[in-house]
Amino acid sequence: MKKDIALRLTPQEASNEKYYKDIVAKKMKVHPDKITAIRVRKRSIDARQRQVMVQLHLEAFANAPAPEKEFVTFEYQNVSDKPEVIVVGAGPGGLFAALRLVELGFKPIVLERGKDVNERKKDIALLNRNNPVDPESNYAFGEGGAGTFSDGKLYTRSTKRGDFNKVLHVLHFHGAQDDILVDSHPHIGTDRLPGVIKKMRESIITAGGEVLFNATVTDLVIEDSSVKGLVLKDGTNIKAKAVVLATGHSARDVYTMLDNRAIELEAKTWAMGVRVEHPQELIDQIQYHSPDGRGEYLPAASYNFSCQVQERGVYSFCMCPGGFIVPAMTGENEMVVNGMSPSKRNSPYANSGMVVEVRPEDIPDEFRKQGVLAGLAYQKEVERLCYINGGKNLIAPAQRLTDFVDSRLSFDLPPTSYVPGTIASPLHFVLPYGISNRLQEGFKQFGKWANGFLDPEAIILGTESRTSSPLRIPRDPLSLQHVHIGGLFPCGEGAGYAGGIASSAIDGEKCADAVARMLGE
């Protein structure tokens, strides 16, 4: 006998099957000894009330052996002699596009400007020791894209993007933990993602596809308003009838190349601000309504805040409980920070981007001469200002959160997870007024909602500027090709059609389907 059961339990009760086996048996009207298996199908935490509860959706079996647990598997066909499709970028959008192309009977050729994930780890280790940034191998560029070393949160706010469950199953098939198929907010962790990414690459290659590293695309070959191929930095020309362009939100050179070729781009809304860090224990106390914090049975707490200040959104972004702040710049004279969490989320710090909505009309006049690239120029200038107001190399400008809110310079700084180091800087003055004053008001509002959030031991670092690109590469909503260039399929975060790992992965699959439709016509 099998029965689906929903239970609402305390964290301690939900932590061990023996606590709820009797409840399950009672609901199934059998003796507990007759229960042969209980499997968690979905798990979520409800911390809205004083008593934190865990919601479990279970699959219970009684009076007969439970069937063996089954997971979705994938058998990728051999496509070594199939039509080739170029995929530019080995981030989530590009990798999922490539795997989907294999499923559809096409041979993907993945071109990645950076290094494979093992070599990339070495460059990131140097970066964390305050060495100069390698513009082709960093926290944004390289195998797996920006997602590989930036936490691995997999949920998406959109219910319209596509098959989210398939994304989870593909990642699980390639080595992600079982929990991502269960938790309401699945998370792999920056320590486990590199292994998953490597196995995805191996699947592509085993199926007959190709993955080329240190392959920076510098130009497109276009004839009669259609893509015919592309050019690499070393001068290599590659022919192609279809190109999936999944280069990520930080590939500024790609936008510049497209603009120089008079290929239509469009400005869009994005966001910029700072990264704020608190002691994780404090966030646990606030979110779980307990002076004792999360205790033994709850995970490190997260938060999600948003409000409107002067007709612009102010909100938390990429919250990393039990995580670290990392240097995320992609070039010289830039100061950019991001956050990540390992799978166990066991750092003593909690960090989050805190950003302000920036619309095209908010760009200062001095950058307007850049045309559609004005947002990029503005973004880069703010990163330059934060670099100047930081310390040597990657030392970040920082300020106590309470000092920032009160427009006051910090004379000393609390400890932080940011390894390269920090230096006291008046970020309330360094950041553009439209950003800093809205952040100040937003922080005040969040402090009212979460008593204790405005803590003197909290620190902010600048700047959190790569939330998304200020540009979109416009595409036809049906064919998913560029509105004027046939065979060019803008994809994922860099194209302006996704946000985060899961959304970019879904978009990659959608673009692969669109490529198959075009080539099959």
Side-chain angles (χ1 to χ4, degrees):
M1 177 174 58
K2 172 191 168 184
K3 188 176 180 65
D4 293 330
I5 297 171
L7 297 180
R8 186 174 171 83
L9 306 169
T10 67
Q12 182 175 3
E13 292 169 341
S15 67
N16 195 316
E17 184 180 300
K18 68 180 182 180
Y19 283 107
Y20 53 81
K21 188 174 183 180
D22 288 344
I23 303 173
V24 170
K26 186 176 180 180
K27 286 183 176 290
M28 296 185 75
K29 299 179 180 179
V30 299
H31 190 276
D33 292 343
K34 299 297 182 180
I35 301 294
T36 54
I38 301 174
R39 294 173 182 163
V40 179
R41 305 298 294 176
K42 287 295 177 184
R43 176 174 53 223
S44 60
I45 296 172
D46 184 355
R48 293 173 294 179
Q49 305 299 321
R50 178 64 57 179
Q51 173 61 60
V52 178
M53 302 297 288
V54 177
Q55 188 79 25
L56 294 181
H57 291 270
L58 307 172
E59 186 178 63
F61 301 86
N63 292 321
E68 188 173 332
K69 187 180 291 188
E70 294 183 358
F71 294 112
V72 175
T73 60
F74 298 86
E75 294 184 7
Y76 296 108
Q77 61 182 306
N78 190 305
V79 295
S80 55
D81 60 349
K82 301 297 184 180
E84 296 180 352
V85 176
I86 303 298
V87 178
V88 185
L95 289 174
F96 273 83
L99 287 173
R100 180 60 180 156
L101 285 166
V102 171
E103 291 178 333
L104 295 168
F106 295 90
K107 178 181 177 178
I109 310 294
V110 181
L111 306 177
E112 169 54 50
R113 70 188 300 161
K115 301 178 183 180
D116 69 65
V117 74
N118 289 337
E119 290 301 310
R120 190 180 174 198
K121 284 181 180 178
K122 298 175 185 178
D123 292 328
I124 284 175
L126 291 173
L127 196 61
N128 284 323
R129 291 199 289 270
N130 212 354
N131 282 270
V133 61
D134 181 338
E136 302 293 348
S137 182
N138 44 65
Y139 275 100
F141 297 149
E143 186 176 21
T148 302
F149 298 104
S150 62
D151 198 45
K153 287 183 286 292
L154 299 174
Y155 48 94
T156 173
R157 291 185 176 91
S158 174
T159 59
K160 301 178 182 179
R161 292 195 186 276
D163 191 351
F164 176 48
N165 285 325
K166 184 187 176 185
V167 169
L168 296 178
H169 286 299
V170 170
L171 291 166
H172 179 262
F173 177 71
H174 288 96
Q177 56 269 46
D178 293 354
D179 284 349
I180 72 167
L181 303 177
V182 172
D183 291 332
S184 60
H185 289 152
H187 166 259
I188 296 177
T190 193
D191 52 328
R192 300 191 63 160
L193 262 169
V196 175
I197 297 300
K198 182 178 179 180
K199 289 183 179 179
M200 292 176 71
R201 180 227 307 167
E202 292 170 350
S203 286
I204 294 168
I205 295 172
T206 301
E210 297 181 30
V211 181
L212 307 179
F213 297 105
N214 301 302
T216 302
V217 174
T218 57
D219 202 1
L220 297 175
V221 178
I222 299 172
E223 298 176 8
D224 299 325
S225 299
S226 293
V227 166
K228 302 300 180 183
L230 44 76
V231 181
L232 301 184
K233 189 175 182 178
D234 64 4
T236 301
N237 281 263
I238 301 177
K239 293 182 179 181
K241 293 182 179 179
V243 173
V244 176
L245 194 63
T247 51
H249 58 50
S250 290
R252 291 167 170 164
D253 55 334
V254 173
Y255 297 121
T256 302
M257 178 268 290
L258 295 174
D259 187 57
N260 289 340
R261 277 190 144 274
I263 295 174
E264 184 176 342
L265 302 170
E266 59 186 28
K268 71 174 185 64
T269 296
W270 49 295
M272 180 165 56
V274 298
R275 188 145 287 257
V276 61
E277 184 171 71
H278 292 77
Q280 180 63 54
E281 183 180 12
L282 174 62
I283 299 302
D284 292 339
Q285 292 168 343
I286 293 172
Q287 295 299 91
Y288 291 139
H289 324 293
S290 170
D292 299 323
R294 66 178 181 266
E296 184 179 352
Y297 303 103
L298 285 168
S302 62
Y303 58 78
N304 181 18
F305 295 138
S306 65
C307 66
Q308 287 284 315
V309 178
Q310 300 169 24
E311 300 182 337
R312 295 293 183 268
V314 179
Y315 56 93
S316 59
F317 175 86
C318 183
M319 199 276 153
C320 300
F324 304 89
I325 298 177
V326 297
M329 62 288 295
T330 55
E332 295 181 348
N333 302 323
E334 299 172 355
M335 176 48 62
V336 184
V337 290
N338 197 357
M340 68 180 196
S341 294
S343 56
K344 293 183 179 180
R345 290 179 162 171
N346 54 359
S347 159
Y349 300 100
N351 70 77
S352 175
M354 284 289 179
V355 295
V356 176
E357 175 188 7
V358 180
R359 298 179 186 175
E361 59 266 32
D362 298 333
I363 306 300
D365 291 341
E366 63 193 277
F367 301 102
R368 297 292 177 87
K369 62 182 179 181
Q370 301 286 338
V372 73
L373 302 181
L376 283 183
Y378 179 44
Q379 181 188 59
K380 191 169 184 177
E381 175 62 12
V382 175
E383 293 171 3
R384 188 187 70 85
L385 289 173
C386 283
Y387 174 82
I388 291 172
N389 283 274
K392 185 178 180 181
N393 293 336
L394 308 184
I395 294 175
Q399 196 170 7
R400 288 183 184 267
L401 174 59
T402 48
D403 289 338
F404 174 80
V405 170
D406 293 335
S407 298
R408 185 173 59 219
L409 178 66
S410 297
F411 290 100
D412 61 355
L413 295 172
T416 174
S417 67
Y418 184 71
V419 174
T422 58
I423 187 170
S425 179
L427 285 171
H428 62 276
F429 179 76
V430 173
L431 294 172
Y433 178 75
I435 302 294
S436 63
N437 74 312
R438 287 186 173 97
L439 277 176
Q440 289 173 325
E441 294 304 312
F443 280 130
K444 290 175 185 177
Q445 183 62 61
F446 303 152
K448 292 177 182 178
W449 293 341
N451 185 31
F453 188 82
L454 292 180
D455 186 85
E457 293 306 302
I459 186 175
I460 65 168
L461 283 69
T463 180
E464 174 78 44
S465 53
R466 307 289 179 93
T467 58
S468 65
S469 172
L471 297 176
R472 177 178 286 116
I473 306 173
R475 68 188 187 193
D476 180 86
L478 296 179
S479 72
L480 301 191
Q481 297 173 68
H482 187 275
V483 289
H484 298 307
I485 308 298
L488 180 62
F489 294 82
C491 174
E493 188 108 10
Y497 297 97
I501 294 174
S503 297
S504 293
I506 292 169
D507 201 53
E509 292 214 328
K510 287 169 60 178
C511 285
D513 289 338
V515 169
R517 289 194 299 270
M518 184 199 81
L519 295 179
E521 292 176 352

